Amino acid sequence: MTDKPKKDVDIARKIWLAGIGAYGRAVGDATEAYAKMGRETTKIFDDLVGKGAELENQVATAAKAYVPEFAEKQRAQVEDRMERMKAALGMSEVAADQQENIERIEDRLDALEKKIDAILAAVSKPKAAPRRRASKSTAAKK
């Protein structure tokens, strides 16, 4: 019976060592996998940067050809909208001629207002009381 406790201790120790070995193997595998993943990640990142640079060049090339045409089209559309808005608000070239007529009429109205104000001022002034002539009787007394 003395062999059994020794065997139990040996089995427990072997289980313990197997657990530590499994843990060490897992750590080693994880470390190796992490290092490999780091190398792979760097390679994947570099590949993505290269692809991004390639796409950026393609977009820049396409933009050089397309943007001026697009910008001109947009500018023409904006100018067209502005002309329609000016016409709707009475600010087109025809309206500019009408604006000159309106300004002339306003000038004439201002002149008429000044004349009317002058006439009203003259009419509303209080008249001086007429001088009385000295009556004959008052003149004879003196």
Side-chain angles (χ1 to χ4, degrees):
M1 285 214 187
T2 57
D3 279 339
K4 188 168 179 173
K6 190 176 183 184
K7 274 187 175 182
D8 290 341
V9 170
D10 285 341
I11 290 174
R13 185 169 186 269
K14 287 179 182 178
I15 292 171
W16 168 255
L17 291 174
I20 291 174
Y23 176 75
R25 185 176 191 184
V27 169
D29 289 348
T31 304
E32 185 180 315
Y34 181 74
K36 183 179 178 184
M37 186 174 67
R39 289 187 302 271
E40 290 294 318
T41 302
T42 303
K43 183 179 182 244
I44 291 170
F45 180 77
D46 290 341
D47 290 345
L48 290 173
V49 168
K51 185 67 173 173
E54 181 182 324
L55 288 172
E56 183 181 44
N57 288 335
Q58 289 175 357
V59 168
T61 302
K64 285 179 185 176
Y66 182 68
V67 168
E69 177 184 320
F70 178 75
E72 180 60 30
K73 183 179 177 184
Q74 293 300 314
R75 187 190 60 74
Q77 287 178 351
V78 168
E79 285 181 1
D80 182 49
R81 288 181 190 154
M82 291 296 293
E83 287 302 317
R84 284 187 281 150
M85 288 300 294
K86 284 180 181 179
L89 295 171
M91 297 171 57
S92 63
E93 289 182 25
V94 173
D97 291 339
Q98 292 172 350
Q99 185 64 30
E100 290 175 11
N101 288 336
I102 290 171
E103 288 174 5
R104 279 196 301 264
I105 291 170
E106 286 175 347
D107 291 342
R108 290 177 66 190
L109 284 174
D110 289 340
L112 287 172
E113 284 178 348
K114 287 179 186 176
K115 288 179 182 178
I116 291 171
D117 288 341
I119 292 170
L120 289 175
V123 170
S124 65
K125 282 185 183 177
K127 291 186 180 180
R131 286 189 184 176
R132 291 189 182 175
R133 286 190 181 176
S135 64
K136 291 182 184 177
S137 60
T138 318
K141 290 182 184 178
K142 286 188 181 185

